[in-house]
Amino acid sequence: MLKTEGSASAYRAEPPDRYVYDFADGQATMSDLLGGKGANLAEMTRLGLPVPPGFTVTTEACRHYLKTGRLPGGLDAQIAKHLAGLEQAAGRRLGDADDPLLLSVRSGAKFSMPGMMETVLNIGVCDATVAGLAKRYGDERFAWDCYRRLVQMYGRTVLGVSAEEFERALIQAKVRKGLVPDAPDTALDADALRALTRRFQRIVREVSGQEVPQSPREQLSGAVRAVFESWDGQRARVYRRREGIPDDLGTAVTVMTMVFGNLGGDSGTGVGFTRDPATGAPGVYGDYLSDAEGEDVVSGVRNTLTLEQFGALDPDAYRELRRHMATLEEHYRDLCDIEFTVERGKLWMLQTRVGKRTAAAAFRIAADLLADGTIDEDEALCRVTGEQLAQLMFPCFAPSGGAIAPIAKGIAASPGAAVGHAVFSSADAVARAAAGDRVILVRRETNPDDLPGMIAASGVLTGRGGKTSHAAVVARGMGRTCVCGVESLEIDEQLGTATVTRGRSAGIVINRGDLISIDGTDGSVYDTEIPVVSSPVVEYFEGHGTHTGDPVVAAVATLLGIADSRAQLGVRANADTPADAARARRFGAHGIGLARTEHMFLGERRPIVERLILAESQQDRTNALNRLLELQRADFTGLLAAMDGLPVTVRLLDPPLHEFLPDLTELSVEIAVADATHQPVTAERRELLAAVRRWHEQNPMLGLRGVRLGLVVPGLYAMQVRALAEAIVARRGDGGAPLAHIMIPLVAEAHELELARAEAKRVLREVDPGLTVSVGVMIELPRAALTARRIAEHAEFFSFGTNDLTQTTWGMSRDDAEGAFFPAYLEHGVFTASPFGTIDPEGVGALVRAAVKRGRWTRPDLEIGVCGEHGGDPASIHFFHQAGVDYVSCSPFRVPVARLEAGRAAVLARREAAGSDAVGSDTR
Ligand code: PEP
Ligand code: MG
C-alpha cells in the first residue's frame, strides 16, 4: 500500500541489463524490482531521512541466478561501480586497512517475508582491517565483536555451518571467562572475542572445508549469492505457500553501509510502529535495545525497552525519531513500521514499510485515517479485506466474571481466543494437529524453523520477546492468536513443561498435552479450557446494527456502509430455515439466493419420502405427497415471512433418491442374516430391499438427481411448487409481501428445463392465476453453460451452482477430493488454492463467462446469480463482479464478508480501468 509517485513503468524503460540501483535512484513504486526493503529505503532517501548510503541488486538478477545458477553477466562490474559511489558517499573504502567500510547485505522481496531469508552483516572485516576498525571507533572489543559476528553469520548463511556449532563455542567462551552460559555477549572482552573469532574460523574450516574469505569483495559476492539462494530455502518456501506469494518473484539484495548499535550505552537499535499494530490505536509503539544489533531485537532473545523508555534515555534521538515517524506516516498515509539504529547518539533509519497489522487494527486505522481526511472512502475500503473481517467474526472467550483467573499474563501479540493441547515443538504441533487435535505451540521463543508448527497450531505462546518478536510478527501475519513474552513462565522444551515461577499461581505446571487457553487480546494464559463466545462484530450484526462505541465495531460499520454504496454485486444468503433467513437478514443479505429443500425431506419426514418412493398405487403416492405438501407449505411460509419483501429463491429437490432409503449393504446383510438363521422377514422389508436395489447407483452424484428426479418421480416437483404457491397466497392473506422464485437444479439440456418449467407454471396457475413467480435454472453442468443460449429461452434467471460446476468440470468429487490428493496437488503447485474454495478462473470461470454471455444473448436482461460456496469467497467475488454477475449468495455468516468484497471489487475494478495502481494509490 504505497504511495504512487510517477509511473510504475518508469523503471521498465531502463535497459534490461541494469541490475543495480543506488538508493537515490529508486522509489517506493519499484518494489517489483527492488523488493519492498530496497524500494522503501530509496523512498526514505528521497524524503531526506538519514539512511546510510547503499544500493540494491534487483530481483531480476536473482531470477537470472535461480534459473541459470550463475550471476548475470556484468553484475560484478555493476556492483563494483555502485560500490565505488557508495565508498565516496561514505568517505571510506571496503578493505581499507586504516578506515574500513563495513557493509550489511540483506534480502528483500516484493512482499515482506520476515525472517524467512538471509542477512549477512559486517562484510568487510578481516585480518587486514580489524585493527583499523578498532582504531576508528577507539574500541578493540567492538572490532573483534564485528569480526566474530561476520564469521558466525557468513559461516552459517553462506557456508552452511549450523548455528548450534557457534552457539556452543560462544557458551564455552563465556564459561572459560567464569561467566554463566546465558550471560550477555557484552560480557566478553576484546581478548575473549579475538579468541572466539579464531575458534569460529576453525569451526568453519572443519565443518565446511572452506574459509570465510579474507577478501571483502569476495565476502560481498558470497553474501549476495547466499541471499539469492535463500529465496529457495525450505523456510521461505513454506512461508510463501502459506501466504500465497508466487515462487517466481525472487528477492532483491540490499547492500548498505553498516551503522552500529553495539558501540556502548549511547548506541542501540530498535523497531517502531507509527500506530499500535495490534489494536490500531493511535500513538507510536515499539521496542529498543541499547548496545545491540538489529537481529537481537527481532529475535526477542533479550527483553527490550519501550520507545518511551528510550525517550528518557536519549531524548534528542527520540525526538528526531518521532519526527521521522510522523513524516513517514504522512507520506505513506498508513501505519508504517521502521527499524532504526543509534550509533553514538546519531540516529539512522534502516528500514520502513507499510506495517503488518491485525484485522482489528486494519479496520480501525482505515476508519481513523478516513475520519482525519488522510485518505478517501475508496482508499479506506481498499485498506481492509474480507479475510480480515472474517477474522473479526471469530469467537472470543466468555467473560467468567473473575471466576477463572489466568495463571500468567504476557503480551497480547495477536488477538483471538485459542484453546488447545500444549505442545512444545513445531514437529509435535504438526503431528497432533494432523491427528485432529487443537494445539497451542508453547516455545521459549520462536524462530523461522517453527513456522510449520505455527501454521498447524490454533495459537502460539512464548516466554520471551515483545510485540515485534518473531512469534508476534508471524502470528499476526497469519491471523493466529498469540501471547508472547510471558516472563513468569519457565518453559522447558525438552521436558515439555511450562512452570509458573511468580505470582499467586507460582508452582503450577503445564505439561505436554494439557488443555490450555490463551487470550491474544489481553495476554492471559489459562491452564484450562475456557468457553468461547461470539465476537463483538457478530454481536453488532445480531443486535440489528447497534453498537456500543467499540472503535473496531464502529470501523466495521463505517466501511461496510461504504462497501454497500459502491457494490454492484448484490449479496443474498443460502438459507433453508426461518432462523437462518432471519440471521442472514440481520447480517445484511438482500434475500435468499438458495433455499435447499432437501433438509425438509430428512429426519422424521424420511419415512414419508420412503412411502412416496415405494408407493404401489396412485392412492399411496397421493397420500404421501399430500402429507409432504402440508409440511413443505409450513416450511415455505416461515422462510417467506423471515424474508418478507425480499426475494426467496427455492431450489426444487436435488439429491439422489437413494439418500432417503436405507443403506443397500446394511439392509442386504440384515435380510441375509435373518434368512440364514431362519428368522422371519416381512414382505415389506423384502420389498424395501428390492426398491433400494432398483434405485441404487454406482455414481449417485452423476445419477438420478436434480431435474432428472423431477421428471422421473411423478408429482414430486408439482407438490413442491404447489406448497410454495399456497404459502405465497397464505402470506399475502396475512398482509405480507412474499417474493419467491423457483429454481430447477442440475439441468443439462434446454428441454429438461422446458418440461419442468411448464409443469411449475401449470401448478402456479392452478393455485392462483394471478401469481407471478419466476422460474429459473441452476447452471451447474458444463453442458448447461455451453448451451446457455438455448437454456435461456426457458429460464427467467440463471444461478451458477459452482460446487457442482467445479466437480463436473474438473471431474473430481467434491466430497472426496479434498482429503485425498489435494495436499499433494497444492504441494506440486497444480493448485494454488482448492478450486472448490476459490473459483478456477481459467476453467470453471471460463464456463461462467461463456454462460453469462450466451444467456444474455438470448435475454439481455437475464438476472444472474451465484449460489455455490464460491459466492462467499473474496477472490471469487472479484471474479464474479468482473464476469457481470448480478448477485452472489452465501452462508449467512459470510454475508458481511461478501458485502465488503463486493464493494471492494467495484472500487478496484474502477481503479484498474482508470489505469491507476490499484490498492494504495493516491486518491486524494
Ligand atoms: C452447487 O452445486 O453449487 C449448489 C449450490 O448446489 P448444491 O451444493 O446443493 O449441490
Ligand atoms: Mg449443486
Side-chain angles (χ1 to χ4, degrees):
M1 298 190 211
L2 306 176
K3 187 173 193 289
T4 307
E5 292 209 5
S7 149
S9 62
Y11 62 88
R12 289 194 197 104
E14 296 290 346
D17 54 355
R18 177 169 183 188
Y19 294 112
V20 184
Y21 288 73
D22 279 341
F23 290 166
D25 295 343
Q27 60 187 24
T29 51
M30 291 169 70
S31 61
D32 280 340
L33 197 61
L34 303 181
K37 191 177 291 160
N40 289 322
L41 280 165
E43 195 75 11
M44 284 203 291
T45 305
R46 280 155 37 86
L47 286 172
L49 268 49
V51 176
F55 57 82
T56 301
V57 183
T58 65
T59 54
E60 215 163 343
C62 176
R63 288 193 290 272
H64 183 285
Y65 181 76
L66 293 174
K67 210 172 339 164
T68 63
R70 288 192 312 274
L71 295 175
L75 178 63
D76 278 339
Q78 289 186 35
I79 289 181
K81 187 176 132 223
H82 287 265
L83 179 60
L86 189 158
E87 287 175 332
Q88 208 171 15
R92 264 181 267 173
R93 280 187 310 102
L94 191 68
D96 185 337
D98 292 327
D99 185 10
L101 173 71
L102 262 52
L103 299 172
S104 69
V105 175
R106 295 172 191 266
S107 57
K110 174 173 182 178
F111 301 107
S112 153
M113 295 167 55
M116 299 301 145
M117 290 185 292
E118 298 297 1
T119 292
V120 186
L121 304 178
N122 300 311
I123 293 284
V125 61
C126 59
D127 289 355
T129 58
V130 65
L133 186 66
K135 202 164 93 217
R136 164 158 180 114
Y137 287 97
D139 188 340
E140 200 184 350
R141 188 203 160 276
F142 158 75
W144 283 102
D145 193 36
C146 289
Y147 200 177
R148 72 93 191 170
R149 283 176 190 259
L150 169 76
V151 177
Q152 187 172 358
M153 276 184 133
Y154 197 97
R156 191 176 56 73
T157 304
V158 187
L159 303 176
V161 180
S162 86
E164 285 82 60
E165 299 274 357
F166 298 113
E167 275 306 315
R168 212 173 309 128
L170 182 63
I171 290 173
Q172 282 165 0
K174 287 178 190 167
V175 172
R176 215 170 290 129
K177 275 269 165 196
L179 300 164
V180 290
D182 59 359
D185 302 353
T186 44
L188 293 175
D189 62 15
D191 284 346
L193 288 166
R194 181 186 299 111
L196 187 62
T197 305
R198 299 306 181 205
R199 172 94 190 91
F200 279 3
Q201 285 171 323
R202 278 198 302 282
I203 289 173
V204 170
R205 201 173 306 130
E206 280 157 21
V207 176
S208 73
Q210 298 179 67
E211 305 269 358
V212 175
Q214 284 297 321
S215 151
R217 294 292 282 272
E218 262 182 64
Q219 292 174 358
L220 177 59
S221 76
V224 169
R225 275 170 205 266
V227 172
F228 284 164
E229 279 166 19
S230 68
W231 173 261
D232 262 345
Q234 161 84 358
R235 281 190 329 239
R237 276 187 283 126
V238 170
Y239 186 83
R240 284 201 295 275
R241 247 200 329 274
R242 168 68 186 69
E243 297 292 313
I245 299 173
D247 274 331
D248 56 3
L249 297 179
T251 179
V253 183
T254 297
V255 178
M256 190 161 73
T257 309
M258 283 291 295
V259 289
F260 299 99
N262 53 340
L263 278 171
D266 58 353
S267 304
T269 188
V271 297
F273 295 88
T274 57
R275 287 167 194 252
D276 186 333
T279 65
V284 298
Y285 203 95
D287 300 316
Y288 180 78
L289 253 188
S290 85
D291 200 9
E293 282 202 340
E295 305 302 304
D296 302 334
V297 185
V298 182
S299 70
V301 173
R302 280 161 57 186
N303 288 321
T304 51
L305 303 181
T306 64
L307 283 192
E308 286 74 43
Q309 289 166 325
F310 164 56
L313 203 68
D314 189 343
D316 290 345
Y318 176 69
R319 260 195 304 276
E320 188 185 341
L321 177 72
R322 291 287 304 252
R323 227 178 29 246
H324 297 328
M325 287 172 92
T327 302
L328 286 171
E329 182 164 297
E330 199 190 321
H331 182 68
Y332 285 94
R333 299 176 303 123
D334 205 347
L335 158 76
C336 292
D337 72 24
I338 55 155
E339 286 183 26
F340 65 95
T341 280
V342 179
E343 180 182 304
R344 296 202 165 143
K346 160 88 181 114
L347 175 70
W348 293 98
M349 303 294 280
L350 301 189
Q351 182 175 326
T352 191
R353 65 190 162 194
V354 169
K356 292 197 182 220
R357 66 204 72 185
T358 62
F363 273 86
R364 178 154 184 200
I365 291 170
D368 284 354
L369 292 175
L370 172 64
D372 70 18
T374 305
I375 57 176
D376 69 10
E377 289 191 343
D378 281 359
E379 180 62 23
L381 190 54
C382 292
R383 296 275 177 97
V384 294
T385 66
E387 210 171 89
Q388 287 165 335
L389 179 54
Q391 273 182 36
L392 291 179
M393 293 172 71
F394 288 147
C396 49
F397 287 134
S400 71
I404 308 173
I407 56 162
K409 273 229 167 196
I411 295 166
S414 180
V419 180
H421 298 275
V423 291
F424 290 80
S425 74
S426 174
D428 208 7
V430 171
R432 284 198 73 151
D437 282 345
R438 291 169 303 165
V439 297
I440 306 273
L441 179 61
V442 184
R443 304 280 291 159
R444 209 169 297 140
E445 69 231 358
T446 63
N447 63 53
D449 293 332
D450 289 318
L451 192 63
M454 295 177 75
I455 292 171
S458 324
V460 179
L461 170 62
T462 68
R464 297 201 224 160
K467 261 198 182 170
T468 46
S469 65
H470 175 267
V473 171
V474 175
R476 265 200 305 278
M478 333 200 274
R480 274 301 166 282
T481 298
C482 176
V483 173
C484 64
V486 190
E487 289 176 23
S488 61
L489 269 188
E490 170 118 358
I491 295 168
D492 188 325
E493 291 158 353
Q494 302 301 322
L495 274 179
T497 57
T499 309
V500 184
T501 55
R502 279 184 253 139
R504 274 191 308 181
S505 305
I508 290 182
V509 182
I510 298 169
N511 289 297
R512 182 183 290 123
D514 287 353
L515 259 184
I516 61 171
S517 305
I518 59 171
D519 189 334
T521 311
D522 73 358
S524 297
V525 180
Y526 302 88
D527 61 344
T528 181
E529 178 173 6
I530 310 265
V532 163
V533 294
S534 66
S535 81
V537 172
V538 170
E539 298 284 305
Y540 157 72
F541 290 122
E542 293 292 10
H544 296 274
T546 48
H547 62 81
T548 52
D550 174 331
V552 176
V553 176
V556 169
T558 303
L559 293 166
L560 267 179
I562 296 170
D564 289 343
S565 73
R566 302 296 194 274
Q568 286 158 30
L569 273 178
V571 178
R572 300 185 190 174
N574 294 353
D576 322 332
T577 63
D580 272 358
R583 160 176 274 197
R585 204 170 182 162
R586 290 194 298 273
F587 281 33
H590 282 111
I592 293 181
L594 171 64
R596 292 181 169 98
T597 51
E598 32 282 12
H599 90 270
M600 303 172 183
F601 286 69
L602 293 170
E604 56 203 22
R605 303 179 184 184
R606 203 163 132 156
I608 314 173
V609 182
E610 202 174 292
R611 284 208 292 283
L612 173 69
I613 300 168
L614 300 178
E616 295 260 298
S617 66
Q618 185 57 38
Q619 191 54 48
D620 285 353
R621 177 171 298 122
T622 306
N623 289 346
L625 282 171
N626 283 343
R627 181 73 194 113
L628 285 171
L629 175 70
E630 271 172 49
L631 296 167
Q632 286 262 269
R633 194 192 302 119
D635 296 331
F636 292 141
T637 307
L639 273 186
L640 290 171
M643 275 286 161
D644 212 27
L646 295 174
V648 174
T649 310
V650 172
R651 197 255 313 264
L652 301 186
L653 196 65
D654 181 24
L657 263 205
H658 82 273
E659 284 194 9
F660 299 102
L661 296 173
D663 180 76
L664 174 62
T665 312
E666 277 173 23
L667 193 59
S668 305
V669 169
E670 176 197 311
I671 292 179
V673 169
D675 285 345
T677 55
H678 308 293
Q679 304 291 315
V681 176
T682 63
E684 262 175 19
R685 223 53 202 148
R686 289 192 193 281
E687 273 164 29
L688 185 61
L689 177 61
V692 171
R693 282 219 177 94
R694 243 189 346 269
W695 293 108
H696 181 73
E697 292 171 311
Q698 288 300 344
N699 235 331
M701 271 303 206
L702 300 178
L704 184 58
R705 290 177 52 191
V707 68
R708 301 165 196 167
L709 205 55
L711 296 181
V712 166
V713 180
L716 179 64
Y717 274 10
M719 176 278 292
Q720 290 197 285
V721 175
R722 184 174 299 280
L724 181 63
E726 290 177 0
I728 295 171
V729 170
R731 184 79 206 126
R732 277 197 192 147
D734 290 345
L739 188 58
H741 304 301
I742 291 170
M743 187 154 75
I744 313 288
L746 218 76
V747 166
E749 153 59 35
H751 193 52
E752 290 175 302
L753 177 63
E754 188 180 4
L755 293 171
R757 176 162 171 258
E759 185 180 28
K761 290 285 180 184
R762 176 182 59 74
V763 175
L764 289 167
R765 270 195 308 275
E766 270 174 30
V767 175
D768 180 346
L771 273 186
T772 47
V773 175
S774 58
V775 179
V777 65
M778 286 185 79
I779 304 289
E780 44 189 347
L781 295 173
R783 194 180 189 283
L786 295 171
T787 59
R789 243 161 87 162
R790 283 204 306 110
I791 286 184
E793 288 169 14
H794 308 284
E796 291 166 83
F797 63 89
F798 279 5
S799 179
F800 286 100
T802 47
N803 305 332
D804 274 309
L805 191 58
T806 300
Q807 168 167 261
T808 49
T809 301
W810 281 84
M812 283 180 326
S813 161
R814 58 196 260 193
D815 301 314
D816 302 328
E818 303 249 4
F821 57 90
F822 267 47
Y825 264 43
L826 289 165
E827 175 80 15
H828 292 315
V830 181
F831 304 146
T832 45
S834 160
F836 289 107
T838 296
I839 196 91
D840 141 41
E842 288 177 6
V844 179
L847 287 170
V848 169
R849 284 187 190 278
V852 168
K853 195 161 154 212
R854 292 171 196 198
R856 292 215 173 111
W857 192 89
T858 303
R859 282 184 197 241
D861 59 347
L862 185 71
E863 184 178 58
I864 300 179
V866 173
C867 62
E869 281 303 297
H870 305 86
D873 169 64
S876 309
I877 289 169
H878 289 243
F879 173 85
F880 296 132
H881 171 91
Q882 304 264 8
V885 162
D886 295 306
Y887 68 88
V888 292
S889 187
C890 56
S891 70
F893 209 72
R894 291 170 99 182
V895 164
V897 171
R899 285 168 56 200
L900 190 78
E901 288 296 349
R904 295 184 70 239
V907 170
L908 289 172
R910 190 157 20 84
R911 285 179 167 198
E912 210 168 283
S916 103
D917 191 26
V919 184
S921 57
D922 197 332
T923 53
R924 271 184 297 185

